[in-house]
Amino acid sequence: MTDTVLDVRNLQIQFISDRRTTTAVDGISFQLQRGETLGIVGESGSGKSVTSLALMGLLPLPGRVVAGEIWFTPSASDAPQNLIALPEAERRLYRGGRIATVFQDPMCSLNPVYTIGFQLTEAIRQHQQASPADARRKAILALQEVRVLPSDELLRAEQVADTAAAGQPELDDRDLSQAVNERKRAILKRYPHELSGGQQQRVMIAMAIACNPTLLIADEPTTALDVTVQAAILALLRELARARQMSLIFITHDLGVIAEIADRIAVMYRGQIVECGDRTQIFHQPQHPYTKGLLACRPRLDQELTRLPTIDDFMTVASNGTGELALGEKEPQSLELTVHPAPPAPTTSEPLLAVHDLRVGFPVSGFFGRTKRYFMAVNGVSFQVYPGETLGLVGESGCGKSTLARALLCLQPSLHGEIVFDGQDLRRLSTRQLRRWRRQMQIVFQNPYNSLDPRQSVGRAIAEPLAIHRTLKSERQRRERVDYLLNRVGVDPNAYKRFPHEFSGGQRQRICIARALALNPRFIICDESVSALDVSVQAQVLNLLKELQAEFQLTYIFISHDLSVVKFMSDRIMVMNAGNIEEIGLASEIYTNPQTEYTRQLIASIPAAELQAV
């Protein structure tokens, strides 16, 4: 009998092609005990997800395990099995049944053409040979356990309340049970697109736990979620692991999230585990420079820094003479950072941008396709942005942040209000007049890969606005301008003819920033421009944005659902909720003295590791 559920020994994974061999995981070893949660943290490309895919037996070609063993023990009375040595038919019995996984993007994991009930019952029938009726019963229990569906008691209470509110006669037990069962069947008939992102992730968790696995692997399950939804998913996973005595491997690039859920933490860098220890040790006594860098480069609400530390501040990477990379720690004095109080809000009497009673709505069709009413995404907001300042805009998904950003640039029609930029109401301009003003107003979107044309070289992408607006007439002048911009954002100008897929996510975002700067704008909207990046790359991009603001005298609106990132970047913060402005104030005051309950909930949902010195 053993309490060790998983024992990974010297695992090595390579991707082998005709041109080269890439070692994605380089001889890692770790153990996982029954009921324990192991956090695996590291940047994109560190080998985290490849490791999880190897545990599940789902490595994509041309990847393969070239060395090592994966010993799995389903229960204390079972003999350990080396999963790598098992034939695929036997491996399939473990996958999804005894070992389950929850992936990062639930909308990509759920099939959009099937109901959630079909997808849940399919997994149960596949692994437990249950009848259709029994599979539906277990699917409903799983949905109730992850709180997509209320418990039977709550369902009955809600039905009684709804009946009384409608002025209908009280239901007898039989009719009440029938109404509750109909409510259960209704949720099973819903499709993935009919659920929110948090509900979709809960359905994925329900599918994973429906077969009562011994080991659950959660691979970046909260990365795409708002901070409040993230907190709810983390609490749910903790509760499920404790109630079921289920072992959990939680994979993320964010140490703040890991601190909320993990008992032990393994830090991965370039295919190796560089440090492993319990949560207290990793956060309070980190030994490896890479771990120290990860901890330092995440913005924290209890600090006022003019510049975020980066990984490069903590470590050097050099060849050790054998063709491999050797990691070294920099001298302590190179880590010192000057801490300054947050700058005051600008006091210029004339704002660069003034918004008055702006309303943006989307038509809701009635009979015969006629507009019945409008869904108000932005509902009468008013605010000002002053020259040289950064106004942070924070709120959950669906609150209207991105719709407001597009409306300010007249990329989204608005129903009412004024958008006054430098004394000119943009809503009153013709398309031709508006084109001239757009040279002064630019936007950097969230996903840099979707923002860049994959068929166009990055040099051409940056030069395109110069050609459209005819600011530089000759090809040579445009090339010189592009070279300067690439160099300024930290990308080699020799990359002019390379295409977007040849760059990392951080490099692509730098290229998007260079394109936004091409026309020398005065005002830039950064719409979730760092939310898809690793924390270390995020720190580099945030530092770059601050440097460019000082150099080019830029004015920003910085949009994010992450209050800690917004606080680092902003002079003032505006909090949005359901299309309305909850409050506006100095960045430090919003954190220390929030005026509304909604803002207090946003702050309370931030992982605790970010709220205190570590």
Side-chain angles (χ1 to χ4, degrees):
M1 297 178 66
T2 178
D3 284 332
T4 302
V5 170
L6 189 69
D7 186 2
V8 177
R9 304 175 185 174
N10 195 34
L11 182 65
Q12 188 172 24
I13 301 169
Q14 292 181 342
F15 286 79
I16 302 172
S17 65
D18 294 336
R19 292 190 298 174
R20 63 176 180 176
T21 297
T22 301
T23 301
V25 175
D26 192 9
I28 67 170
S29 300
F30 63 88
Q31 288 188 338
L32 180 65
Q33 305 304 311
R34 200 166 308 281
E36 181 185 38
T37 297
L38 173 68
I40 301 180
V41 67
E43 298 172 279
S44 295
S46 63
K48 311 183 305 295
S49 294
V50 172
T51 299
S52 71
L53 292 173
L55 297 179
M56 291 290 294
L58 295 175
L59 269 179
L61 293 175
R64 65 179 185 181
V65 176
V66 296
E69 301 170 339
I70 301 174
W71 291 92
F72 176 65
T73 310
S75 67
S77 58
D78 291 330
Q81 293 282 344
N82 183 8
L83 298 181
I84 294 176
L86 292 179
E88 178 57 28
E90 292 186 42
R91 186 78 179 266
R92 196 178 297 121
L93 299 176
Y94 289 93
R95 184 167 55 237
R98 309 305 290 173
I99 306 176
T101 190
V102 179
F103 293 106
Q104 176 175 346
D105 188 347
M107 199 57 193
C108 291
S109 303
L110 294 169
N111 193 321
V113 302
Y114 291 110
T115 64
I116 63 171
F118 175 85
Q119 295 180 67
L120 272 166
T121 55
E122 180 187 39
I124 295 169
R125 295 183 67 184
Q126 174 70 28
H127 292 284
Q128 296 190 344
Q129 289 76 49
S131 66
D134 194 34
R136 281 195 299 273
R137 181 183 63 81
K138 291 183 177 181
I140 288 171
L141 289 175
L143 289 174
Q144 288 178 325
E145 192 169 3
V146 300
R147 300 188 187 91
V148 171
L149 188 65
S151 65
D152 285 357
E153 292 77 11
L154 282 176
L155 283 173
R156 293 174 72 89
E158 288 177 4
Q159 188 62 47
V160 169
D162 291 344
T163 302
Q168 298 175 351
E170 185 176 341
L171 299 176
D172 58 28
D173 286 344
R174 180 179 177 181
D175 289 340
L176 185 58
S177 296
Q178 186 176 351
V180 168
N181 289 332
E182 181 57 36
R183 176 87 177 271
K184 294 177 181 178
R185 287 192 291 269
I187 192 69
L188 293 178
K189 292 178 182 178
R190 297 177 74 177
Y191 288 86
H193 72 272
E194 298 179 272
L195 305 174
S196 68
Q199 288 175 318
Q200 290 172 5
Q201 197 62 286
R202 288 173 184 267
V203 170
M204 285 298 302
I205 295 172
M207 195 179 301
I209 67 171
C211 298
N212 198 28
T214 303
L215 170 62
L216 177 63
I217 302 172
D219 188 0
E220 300 270 13
T222 63
T223 298
L225 303 179
D226 292 324
V227 64
T228 50
V229 181
Q230 171 183 276
I233 294 296
L234 291 176
L236 173 63
L237 287 172
R238 282 197 305 267
E239 183 180 327
L240 290 173
R242 182 171 57 251
R244 290 168 168 259
Q245 273 297 292
M246 180 175 63
S247 300
L248 176 63
I249 294 179
F250 192 96
I251 297 172
T252 183
H253 63 263
D254 192 338
L255 273 165
V257 172
I258 280 287
E260 292 288 293
I261 195 168
D263 302 311
R264 286 191 304 119
I265 299 172
V267 181
M268 287 194 72
Y269 180 73
R270 300 198 178 194
Q272 299 178 346
I273 294 179
V274 296
E275 185 166 2
C276 188
D278 63 44
R279 180 171 52 191
T280 302
Q281 174 191 330
I282 294 295
F283 276 88
H284 293 276
Q285 295 178 328
Q287 301 300 308
H288 197 276
Y290 179 70
T291 310
K292 296 175 183 177
L294 279 183
L295 286 166
C297 63
R298 184 74 170 96
R300 289 217 312 267
L301 287 169
D302 63 340
Q303 290 183 337
E304 302 287 353
L305 296 178
T306 57
R307 173 186 173 273
L308 286 174
T310 65
I311 297 295
D312 290 341
D313 293 320
F314 287 80
M315 60 186 295
T316 57
V317 182
S319 174
N320 61 7
T322 65
E324 299 178 351
L325 294 175
L327 308 180
E329 185 166 7
K330 286 190 173 180
E331 294 297 323
Q333 58 267 26
S334 66
L335 307 182
E336 294 180 2
L337 294 171
T338 304
V339 180
H340 298 288
T347 57
T348 306
S349 57
E350 292 296 327
L352 178 64
L353 176 71
V355 179
H356 304 289
D357 195 25
L358 185 65
R359 301 173 188 270
V360 182
F362 296 95
V364 178
S365 298
F367 291 108
F368 305 110
R370 296 176 180 174
T371 299
K372 181 179 180 181
R373 60 183 176 85
Y374 283 91
F375 169 76
M376 300 306 296
V378 177
N379 196 13
V381 304
S382 300
F383 61 93
Q384 295 81 38
V385 186
Y386 293 89
E389 83 161 328
T390 298
L391 176 67
L393 178 54
V394 67
E396 298 175 281
S397 293
C399 72
K401 304 187 303 295
S402 294
T403 301
L404 174 60
R406 295 177 66 85
L408 294 179
L409 300 180
C410 297
L411 300 174
Q412 171 68 48
S414 49
L415 301 176
H416 182 269
E418 296 179 345
I419 305 170
V420 181
F421 181 81
D422 198 17
Q424 176 65 57
D425 186 355
L426 301 183
R427 294 188 70 243
R428 298 180 180 273
L429 298 179
S430 66
T431 302
R432 185 172 182 178
Q433 292 171 323
L434 185 60
R435 185 175 181 179
R436 293 200 303 269
W437 284 89
R438 282 214 174 107
R439 292 173 53 180
Q440 301 184 47
M441 308 172 72
Q442 294 293 315
I443 187 168
V444 180
F445 292 105
Q446 175 176 353
N447 190 328
Y449 195 74
N450 290 344
S451 303
L452 296 169
D453 187 339
R455 300 165 298 177
Q456 189 179 48
S457 72
V458 298
R460 288 293 179 187
I462 298 172
E464 186 176 40
L466 298 171
I468 291 174
H469 290 275
R470 301 177 182 176
T471 56
L472 297 175
K473 295 182 179 180
S474 72
E475 181 72 23
R476 181 183 61 82
Q477 289 176 316
R478 289 196 289 268
R479 177 61 188 263
E480 289 175 353
R481 175 67 174 166
V482 172
D483 287 349
Y484 166 75
L485 290 170
L486 285 172
N487 184 67
R488 186 60 194 84
V489 299
V491 178
D492 187 353
N494 293 325
Y496 185 99
K497 295 184 179 181
R498 292 169 61 187
F499 290 85
H501 71 272
E502 300 180 73
F503 296 88
S504 68
Q507 289 173 317
R508 287 197 290 264
Q509 197 61 288
R510 288 170 181 265
I511 291 165
C512 289
I513 293 170
R515 184 175 62 177
L517 292 171
L519 296 170
N520 282 323
R522 299 169 63 191
F523 174 70
I524 295 179
I525 297 176
C526 300
D527 187 5
E528 298 277 11
S529 54
V530 297
S531 62
L533 305 177
D534 291 327
V535 287
S536 58
V537 180
Q538 180 186 91
Q540 296 170 13
V541 173
L542 292 176
N543 288 337
L544 173 64
L545 288 171
K546 282 208 165 190
E547 292 170 9
L548 295 173
Q549 183 176 34
E551 179 177 340
F552 293 98
Q553 299 299 301
L554 297 171
T555 302
Y556 289 146
I557 288 183
F558 191 89
I559 301 174
S560 179
H561 62 261
D562 189 333
L563 188 55
S564 57
V565 169
V566 170
K567 180 176 179 291
F568 168 74
M569 284 295 299
S570 306
D571 303 310
R572 293 185 298 140
I573 292 178
M574 181 167 70
V575 182
M576 277 193 76
N577 180 28
N580 298 294
I581 295 176
E582 290 278 331
E583 60 180 298
I584 304 178
L586 291 176
S588 56
E589 291 179 359
I590 291 290
Y591 164 55
T592 58
N593 188 29
Q595 299 299 304
T596 67
E597 181 60 29
Y598 178 76
T599 308
R600 285 190 283 270
Q601 290 176 359
L602 281 181
I603 295 172
S605 299
I606 297 173
E610 297 178 19
L611 298 177
Q612 57 189 2
V614 179

